[in-house]
């Protein structure tokens, strides 16, 4: 059945992430083009947490690549730019600062991953769990054909949305008809992939349930988690992340202080603040004291190093001493490391001016980042003027409280999660919580205004840009909705927000999440109103999209009753369109057409251009499926409307519709031209559903021209995309008949075996390759994977070759250590390095590779006796 939605009557949200989503849901690696003005996200550098050598485990800044949104989009699609290897590498961010120490932990983690499917890095906040996990994942990702993928759970507060968040991190927009967990399990079922779940502690039970389910469903999946405590899943291995090594300030070593990891980290970050900084006789004792007093906690050390902008090391040490004493006295029940970490943050807070402290607290209501406009609207008032915000934000960036992220032509800002939580505690414990509620309301109001602007500009040149921008704000939108639904009297605001944004929310969380918010809001706001009628219509369409016809019909019946009760023209017009859509879902075009004609007339009377376009599109489709001669005229009117308003996202659908109509009328070449034009329009926007529609009909038309092999590949590519968007075909009735007819024709023309091979080849094409095929352009085939030796990033060392040789003879680490006169731990480190270099995941693979490599030359001069 055709999936429809309120503001986009023919299915799912497209865009860059949706394209990659389809790819990974069906084993189709894609390259994406970035269309939004801000890109997806990227992390800037900072002396605090951003690129922390051993920084805070909750560092949100480490979870996005600073190299630019387009490069990130390529990686997130599972294709590493410029490699040509065809191996999916994942979405791990590049390191933007040096990685200090942790050699044993990295080696041990690699060793453990070679023998377990779930490894959890545990430890207190600020010990660098996130950075360590990223380094380990980067070291071993060559062992995973489908790459290493990171999921940042810090911004997520609702465990029921965990599976959707994992899908989004994998580049999969969950807008299929299935619940999120089965969709995710199905996607991962046959993939050898490393999934990094970062910051699990606040969603511990949900993370444990999800991990347990995924490991059971996907036998080749491995999970690397970071958490302040174990997940408690069977088979879980734990690796405790410890503080960095620190010197005793009372017994300074005669050798260089930089032999200690904490000192090296402080020195490295200090040099970023003061290029001439070194640990010499002048600063050695103070730096040793700082590292010792901070217990080697990386985040605390980095925060301390950032203070060198205004303080000397001795002054920093003095302030830390005073603060530790005060904190220990007031929070003796807290674990020592938490007291130390809080002391470090308290010290940063004290360095801020009163306006900076006030802004720090207020900015903590944002989740996942924000821009300057948002900060100005949400944080102005009660001691902060709008004119001050820019200067105060700049001060917080300078003090590394805020992290700058460049998104092509705009800048976004974010806080490390620990820093954000510190600021939030200031609001939570304010007098009566009044300031917290006030700031949360302003935060909600800002995103309501943003949603209203996006909705008003739906049919405009900014159409695709709004999709991209609102995807960036998904975490903030969730936070705003949570506030509304958890605050008495605010449910109406939740309805207003979600009904303005529901299609954009689907691009980030799928119809399941949109229905989650709608369902809660409808229960809490039962009063009759045009807003409730709109919410009922949207929820009904989503129910039909997910195959829940009973719920869809119930929503339609309530909509009709409410429209009659309200008696307003807008509700009646939209309800008529909803009824027409419902009839089309039931494959009843004769009933749908008059309902849609009535809706179109009502929308024209109200001069609602966006609603006119949506209704024209569906009415033209209904006429097309009914052999109504008005189909082409209505389709051309639909195209003219979006062309006049430069709405490129809508234009691709209108061109598809006209191409379909020409095909059904027997005008094959004209149909091909229109469909190829639609795909060319789509290139920037990456509208997945429009691409699937075009590839499907283009396959039929191409088969009719005698290019059977190309048609079969297009059919395979379309099949993959249809599975990704949760539907079998772009329609029912005649469209299903033409699909089956094309299938049978190509089987006969090519033979069953050749047809199956061509379809499979098409199903495995990247999106760019599929588009090249559809447009008749040559594309380079994906190279076969190189040998393990060719894939090795660096040559094997002499010692590593010796270890491999002994592994091939079946020796254990202890036995190898005895033969080579080294420690078992050193052997383990060598094995971990070998696994990373050769792209393997087990000792057996190394041994097998070694035997196979040497077998042909056993009798040569280098053979062993």
């Amino acid at each position: 059945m055709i999936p429809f939605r309120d503001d986009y009557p023919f299915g799912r949200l497209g865009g860059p992430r949706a394209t990659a989503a389809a790819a990974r849901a069906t084993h189709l690696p894609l390259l994406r083009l970035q269309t939004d003005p801000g890109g997806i996200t990227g992390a800037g550098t900072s002396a605090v947490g951003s690129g922390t050598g051993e920084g805070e485990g909750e560092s949100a800044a480490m979870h996005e690549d600073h190299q630019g949104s387009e490069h990130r989009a390529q990686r997130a699609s599972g294709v590493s730019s410029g490699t040509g290897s065809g191996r999916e590498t994942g979405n791990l961010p590049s390191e933007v600062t040096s990685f200090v120490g942790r050699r044993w932990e990295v080696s041990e983690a690699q060793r453990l991953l070679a023998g377990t499917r779930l490894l959890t890095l545990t430890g207190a906040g600020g010990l660098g769990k996130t950075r360590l996990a990223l380094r380990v994942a980067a070291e071993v990702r060559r062992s995973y054909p489908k790459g290493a993928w990171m999921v940042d759970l810090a911004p997520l507060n609702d465990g029921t949305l965990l599976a959707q968040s994992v899908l989004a991190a994998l580049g999969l927009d969950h807008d299929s008809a299935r619940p999120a967990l089965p969709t995710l399990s199905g996607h991962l079922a046959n993939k050898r992939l490393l999934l990094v779940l970062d910051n699990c502690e606040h969603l511990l039970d949900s993370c444990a349930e999800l991990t347990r389910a995924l490991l059971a469903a996907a036998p080749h999946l491995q999970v690397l988690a970071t958490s302040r405590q174990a997940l408690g899943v069977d088979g879980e291995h734990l690796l405790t992340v410890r503080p960095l090594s620190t010197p005793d300030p009372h017994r300074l070593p005669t050798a260089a202080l930089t032999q200690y990891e904490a000192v090296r980290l402080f020195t490295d970050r200090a040099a970023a603040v003061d290029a001439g900084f070194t640990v010499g006789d002048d600063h050695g004792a103070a730096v040793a004291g700082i590292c010792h007093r901070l217990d080697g906690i990386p985040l605390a050390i980095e925060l301390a190093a950032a203070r060198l902008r205004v303080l000397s090391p001795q002054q920093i040490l003095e302030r830390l001493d005073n603060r530790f004493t005060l904190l220990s006295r007031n929070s003796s029940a807290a674990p020592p490391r938490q007291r130390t970490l809080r002391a470090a943050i308290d010290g940063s807070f004290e360095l801020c001016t009163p306006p900076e402290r006030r802004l720090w607290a207020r900015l903590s209501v944002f989740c996942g980042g924000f821009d300057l406009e948002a900060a100005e609207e949400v944080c102005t008032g009660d001691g902060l003027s709008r004119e001050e915000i820019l200067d105060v934000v700049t001060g917080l960036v300078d003090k590394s409280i805020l992290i700058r992220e460049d998104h092509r032509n705009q800048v976004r800002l974010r806080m490390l999660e620990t820093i954000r939580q510190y600021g939030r505690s200031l609001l939570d414990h304010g007098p009566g919580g009044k300031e917290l509620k006030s700031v949360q309301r302003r935060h909600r109001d800002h995103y309501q205004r943003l949603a209203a602007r996006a909705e008003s500009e739906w049919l405009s040149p900014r159409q695709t840009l709004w999709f991209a921008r609102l995807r960036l704000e998904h975490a903030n939108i969730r936070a705003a909705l949570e506030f509304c639904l958890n605050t008495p009297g605010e449910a109406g605001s939740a309805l207003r927000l979600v009904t303005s944004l529901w299609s954009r929310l689907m691009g980030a969380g799928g119809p399941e999440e949109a229905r989650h918010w709608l369902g809660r809001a409808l229960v809490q706001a039962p009063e009759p109103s045009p807003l409730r009628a709109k919410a009922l219509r949207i929820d009904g369409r989503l129910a039909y999209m997910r195959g829940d016809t009973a719920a869809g019909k119930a929503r339609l019946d309530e909509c009709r009753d409410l429209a009659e009760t309200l008696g307003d023209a807008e509700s009646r017009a939209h309800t008529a369109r909803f009824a027409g859509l419902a009839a089309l879902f039931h494959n009843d075009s004769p009933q749908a057409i008059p309902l849609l004609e009535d809706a179109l007339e009502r929308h024209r009377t109200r001069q609602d251009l966006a609603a006119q376009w949506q209704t024209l599109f569906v009415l033209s489709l209904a006429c097309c499926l009914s052999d109504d001669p008005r189909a082409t005229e209505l389709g051309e009117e639909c195209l003219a409307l979006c062309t006049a308003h430069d709405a490129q996202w809508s234009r691709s659908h209108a061109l598809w519709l006209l191409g379909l109509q020409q095909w059904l009328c027997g005008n094959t070449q004209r149909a091909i031209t229109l469909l190829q034009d639609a795909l060319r329009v789509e290139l920037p926007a990456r509208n997945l559903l429009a691409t699937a529609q075009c590839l499907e009909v283009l396959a039929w038309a191409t088969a009719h021209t005698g290019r059977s092999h190309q048609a079969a590949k297009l059919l395979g590519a379309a099949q993959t995309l249809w599975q990704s968007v949760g539907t079998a075909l772009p329609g029912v009735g005649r469209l299903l008949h033409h699909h089956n007819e094309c299938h049978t024709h190509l089987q006969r023309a090519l033979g069953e075996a050749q047809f199956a091979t061509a379809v499979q080849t098409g199903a495995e094409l990247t999106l760019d390759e599929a588009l090249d095929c559809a447009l008749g352009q040559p594309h380079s085939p994906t190279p076969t994977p190189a040998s393990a030796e060719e894939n090795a990033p660096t040559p094997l060392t002499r010692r590593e070759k010796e270890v491999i040789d002994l592994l091939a003879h079946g020796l254990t680490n202890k036995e190898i250590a005895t033969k080579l006169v080294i420690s078992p731990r050193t052997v383990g480190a060598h094995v971990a390095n070998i696994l990373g270099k050769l792209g393997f995941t087990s000792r057996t693979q190394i041994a097998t590779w070694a035997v196979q490599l040497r077998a042909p030359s056993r009798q040569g001069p280098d053979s062993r006796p």
Side-chain angles (χ1 to χ4, degrees):
M1 184 57 62
I2 309 170
F4 295 99
R5 59 169 60 155
D6 190 56
D7 70 338
Y8 164 32
F10 203 73
R12 323 249 178 216
L13 175 64
R17 189 170 292 175
T19 300
R24 260 166 301 292
T26 57
H27 311 277
L28 179 64
L30 305 181
L31 282 174
R32 300 179 298 166
L33 294 180
Q34 202 69 333
T35 60
D36 57 299
I40 298 299
T41 55
T45 60
S46 171
V48 181
S50 174
T52 59
E54 302 298 328
E56 165 56 18
E58 289 73 11
S59 172
M62 291 306 304
H63 304 166
E64 301 294 345
D65 189 353
H66 78 297
Q67 296 295 328
S69 57
E70 181 170 341
H71 181 54
R72 180 187 182 279
Q74 291 175 328
R75 286 205 325 278
S77 69
V79 180
S80 57
S81 59
T83 65
S85 67
R87 292 172 62 88
E88 295 181 314
T89 58
N91 66 345
L92 300 181
S94 300
E95 294 181 348
V96 295
T97 57
S98 60
F99 186 86
V100 178
R102 301 297 196 198
R103 293 180 60 185
W104 180 85
E105 288 89 343
V106 171
S107 174
E108 183 68 4
Q110 292 182 64
R111 184 188 69 79
L112 290 172
L113 278 174
T116 184
R117 296 183 61 209
L118 171 60
L119 173 62
T120 302
L121 306 182
T122 62
L127 287 177
K129 299 184 293 295
T130 294
R131 186 65 186 272
L132 176 59
L134 288 172
R135 169 52 70 102
V136 171
E139 292 284 344
V140 304
R141 64 178 166 189
R142 295 177 66 87
S143 304
Y144 300 90
K146 297 302 180 181
W149 297 84
M150 181 165 187
V151 186
D152 175 20
L153 302 179
L156 185 65
N157 294 316
D158 188 345
T160 63
L161 301 176
L162 183 58
Q164 290 96 313
S165 297
V166 176
L167 283 166
L170 290 171
L172 291 156
D173 285 342
H174 177 55
D175 39 355
S176 70
R178 302 178 63 196
L181 183 56
T183 300
L184 179 59
S185 299
H187 170 71
L188 297 174
N190 298 314
K191 289 181 170 59
R192 188 146 62 94
L193 176 149
L194 179 66
L195 185 64
V196 182
L197 297 178
D198 189 39
N199 297 308
C200 297
E201 55 273 353
H202 64 301
L203 299 171
L204 199 65
D205 292 340
S206 298
C207 287
E209 293 173 6
L210 177 77
T211 302
R212 193 178 294 114
L214 293 182
L215 291 176
H220 305 297
L221 173 71
Q222 286 182 275
V223 177
L224 176 61
T226 72
S227 176
R228 296 187 185 187
Q229 64 184 102
L231 300 185
V233 176
D234 291 342
E236 179 183 26
H237 281 60
L238 302 179
L239 178 59
T240 300
V241 181
R242 299 167 295 184
L244 302 178
S245 60
T246 62
D248 182 348
H250 301 296
R251 288 181 295 178
L252 293 178
T254 55
L257 279 173
T258 52
Q259 66 179 292
Y260 295 96
E261 294 173 323
V263 174
R264 292 206 307 274
L265 177 62
F266 184 93
T267 304
D268 183 89
R269 300 307 185 257
V273 176
D274 179 0
F277 182 86
T278 59
V279 180
D281 295 337
D282 293 340
H283 303 312
V287 170
I290 291 169
C291 294
H292 179 77
R293 297 296 285 169
L294 293 178
D295 288 344
I297 297 177
L299 177 61
I301 291 169
E302 294 198 340
L303 289 168
R307 300 172 196 166
L308 289 174
R309 290 185 177 94
V310 293
L311 298 174
S312 69
Q314 185 61 42
Q315 288 174 311
I316 293 172
L317 180 60
E318 292 170 357
R319 287 171 176 262
L320 289 177
D321 286 341
N322 294 335
R323 182 47 90 185
F324 288 162
T325 302
L326 176 62
L327 188 60
S328 176
R329 209 169 42 236
N330 289 342
S331 305
S332 57
R337 288 175 182 168
Q338 290 185 4
R339 296 203 304 269
T340 303
L341 180 60
R342 178 146 187 116
I345 303 175
D346 282 343
S348 293
F349 184 74
E350 287 187 350
L351 289 175
C352 293
T353 64
E356 288 171 348
R357 296 179 185 182
R358 192 173 295 116
L359 184 60
W360 180 349
R362 294 176 185 178
L363 289 174
S364 68
V365 300
F366 289 102
C367 296
F370 54 91
D371 56 23
L372 182 62
E373 176 190 2
E376 289 172 337
E377 293 195 5
V378 173
C379 301
T380 295
D382 299 326
L384 274 177
S385 68
R386 189 182 186 98
E387 292 72 22
E388 288 181 281
I389 297 294
L390 176 57
D391 287 338
V392 181
V393 163
T394 302
L396 291 177
V397 172
D398 289 341
K399 293 180 175 63
S400 300
I401 305 304
L402 292 178
I403 298 167
R404 170 195 168 115
E405 297 177 343
D406 291 309
H407 294 269
R408 298 178 70 176
N409 63 346
Q410 71 169 338
V411 172
R412 285 177 66 81
L413 302 160
R414 69 186 305 156
M415 290 180 176
L416 301 179
E417 183 61 18
T418 302
I419 299 296
R420 190 185 76 84
Q421 290 177 2
Y422 181 94
R424 184 60 177 268
S425 70
L426 301 176
L427 287 178
D428 288 340
H429 296 98
K434 291 182 179 179
E435 184 174 16
L436 172 61
K437 293 295 184 183
S438 174
V439 176
Q440 285 178 319
R441 284 192 173 88
R442 292 200 295 267
H443 177 272
R444 184 271 319 279
D445 292 343
H446 170 71
Y447 288 102
Q448 278 193 335
R449 287 191 293 269
L450 204 67
R453 285 167 54 194
E455 188 174 32
S456 68
E457 295 182 11
W458 186 86
L459 195 71
S460 78
R462 294 179 54 80
Q463 191 177 61
T464 55
L465 301 183
W466 273 117
F467 281 119
R469 180 173 181 183
L470 292 173
R471 275 196 299 273
L472 284 176
E473 301 291 3
H474 187 57
N476 280 310
I477 291 166
R478 278 178 171 172
L481 287 168
E482 283 287 2
F483 166 73
C484 293
L485 294 171
N486 292 328
T487 303
E490 297 285 357
S493 296
L495 271 183
R496 184 173 297 105
L497 180 57
V498 74
T499 53
S500 295
L501 284 173
W502 71 278
S503 65
R504 286 82 178 173
L505 281 173
M506 286 175 58
E512 190 174 359
E513 178 174 349
R515 291 204 73 199
H516 167 80
W517 299 117
L518 283 164
R520 291 176 61 185
L522 283 167
V523 167
Q524 293 186 31
E527 300 81 8
S529 68
L531 187 58
R532 179 175 177 82
K534 182 179 180 181
L536 290 169
R537 292 192 302 271
I538 294 170
D539 193 55
R541 287 158 178 75
L542 292 172
Y544 275 118
M545 289 172 63
R546 300 187 71 246
D548 191 351
T549 56
K553 187 178 183 305
R555 292 304 197 199
L556 175 60
D557 291 341
E558 187 175 354
C559 269
R560 283 171 167 158
D561 293 341
L562 186 54
E564 288 302 315
T565 299
L566 296 172
D568 66 295
E570 181 179 8
S571 294
R572 285 176 172 168
H574 286 291
T575 299
R577 188 178 61 179
F578 181 20
L581 288 173
L584 203 54
F585 270 112
H586 290 287
N587 201 26
D588 189 352
S589 296
Q591 181 183 358
I593 289 174
L595 288 168
L596 293 168
E597 288 175 329
D598 177 49
L600 181 59
E601 185 60 33
R602 292 175 183 271
H603 289 314
R604 280 175 170 159
T605 300
R606 298 187 62 253
Q607 298 183 341
D608 187 337
L609 290 178
Q612 284 182 51
W613 185 91
Q614 296 156 22
T615 310
L616 273 170
F617 181 91
V618 184
L619 177 57
S620 179
L621 179 61
C623 290
C624 180
L625 297 176
S626 301
D627 291 324
D628 190 310
R630 297 174 297 167
T632 300
E633 179 184 349
L634 290 168
E636 289 175 347
E637 185 180 351
C638 182
L639 176 62
L641 189 57
C642 58
T643 299
H645 293 275
D646 197 20
Q648 295 300 308
W649 189 81
S650 299
R651 179 179 168 81
S652 60
H653 291 279
L655 286 170
W656 168 81
L657 180 58
L658 288 172
L660 171 64
Q661 291 167 357
Q662 291 300 311
W663 159 247
L664 293 176
C665 292
N667 301 323
T668 302
Q669 194 54 53
R670 176 60 178 158
I672 290 175
T673 299
L674 287 166
L675 294 167
Q676 289 180 333
D677 286 346
L679 289 173
R680 291 188 183 97
V681 168
E682 173 50 26
L683 282 174
R686 283 290 188 261
N687 186 331
L688 183 61
L689 182 60
T691 302
Q693 293 166 343
C694 291
L695 291 178
E696 175 72 37
V697 181
L698 197 55
W700 308 346
T702 303
H704 193 69
T705 66
R707 291 171 288 167
S708 301
H709 191 266
Q710 181 186 6
K713 288 202 299 182
L714 290 173
L715 208 60
Q719 174 182 301
T720 295
L721 296 183
W722 286 128
Q723 292 170 354
S724 299
V725 297
T727 184
L729 280 173
V732 293
R734 289 183 62 182
L735 299 186
L736 180 60
H737 166 73
H738 286 296
H739 171 83
N740 293 334
E741 187 179 62
C742 179
H743 188 281
T744 302
H745 170 76
L746 292 174
Q747 266 188 327
R748 290 174 180 170
L750 296 171
E752 201 164 312
Q754 190 176 355
F755 170 73
T757 300
V759 170
Q760 183 61 30
T761 299
E764 294 174 355
L765 293 176
T766 66
L767 181 60
D768 285 336
E769 291 169 346
L771 291 174
D772 286 342
C773 181
L775 298 174
Q777 299 171 355
H779 67 269
S780 301
T782 301
T784 56
S787 69
E789 192 170 34
E790 290 170 338
N791 277 333
T794 58
L796 295 168
T797 66
R798 178 185 60 81
R799 180 67 84 186
E800 287 168 349
K801 291 176 181 178
E802 292 174 341
V803 171
I804 288 175
D805 187 67
L806 296 173
L807 276 175
H809 285 80
L811 274 65
T812 66
N813 279 11
K814 187 174 181 180
E815 292 168 334
I816 294 172
T818 300
K819 280 195 171 287
L820 299 180
V821 195
I822 56 178
S823 70
R825 176 179 291 182
T826 301
V827 174
H830 285 313
V831 172
N833 289 336
I834 293 165
L835 288 169
K837 288 183 177 182
L838 298 183
F840 293 153
T841 58
S842 70
R843 297 161 63 93
T844 301
Q845 288 177 310
I846 296 174
T848 302
W849 172 80
V851 171
Q852 291 175 345
L853 187 65
R854 292 173 180 172
S857 59
R858 274 290 174 194
Q859 304 305 317
D862 295 330
S863 62
R864 292 178 178 270

